[in-house]
Amino acid sequence: MASTAAVPFWRAAGMTYITYSNICANLVRNCLKEPFKAEALNREKVHFSLSKWAGGKPEKPTLRSDTPGV
């Protein structure tokens, strides 16, 4: 039987590692001074494209932009 002392605290708190990592990243970004804070927020943006498939072929893709946490 495994000891609970070896369990990472984020797991013991009921979080996934991704959730813990996102919280830490947001804390670090909020501590930055300008202009570094603005640069970090720009890197946080996510761009992706979606393509619907019809008849076994992709249709024209649409470009999407999403900002996590908004």
Side-chain angles (χ1 to χ4, degrees), residues 1-9 11-12:
M1 183 164 202
S3 171
T4 57
V7 176
F9 66 91
R11 176 64 69 198

Side-chain angles (χ1 to χ4, degrees), residues 10-68:
W10 51 266
R11 176 64 69 198
M15 287 190 233
T16 65
Y17 182 75
I18 297 296
T19 304
Y20 164 72
S21 175
N22 285 334
I23 290 170
C24 291
N26 285 331
L27 288 170
V28 170
R29 281 187 215 103
N30 289 333
C31 293
L32 294 172
K33 293 182 180 179
E34 291 299 336
F36 306 109
K37 187 174 187 175
E39 291 175 16
L41 290 173
N42 282 336
R43 284 192 302 264
E44 184 181 11
K45 293 179 183 173
V46 176
H47 304 284
F48 57 95
S49 64
L50 295 174
S51 295
K52 291 186 179 182
W53 287 69
K57 295 184 180 181
E59 296 177 352
K60 184 177 178 184
T62 57
L63 183 62
R64 302 284 307 253
S65 293
D66 227 6
T67 305

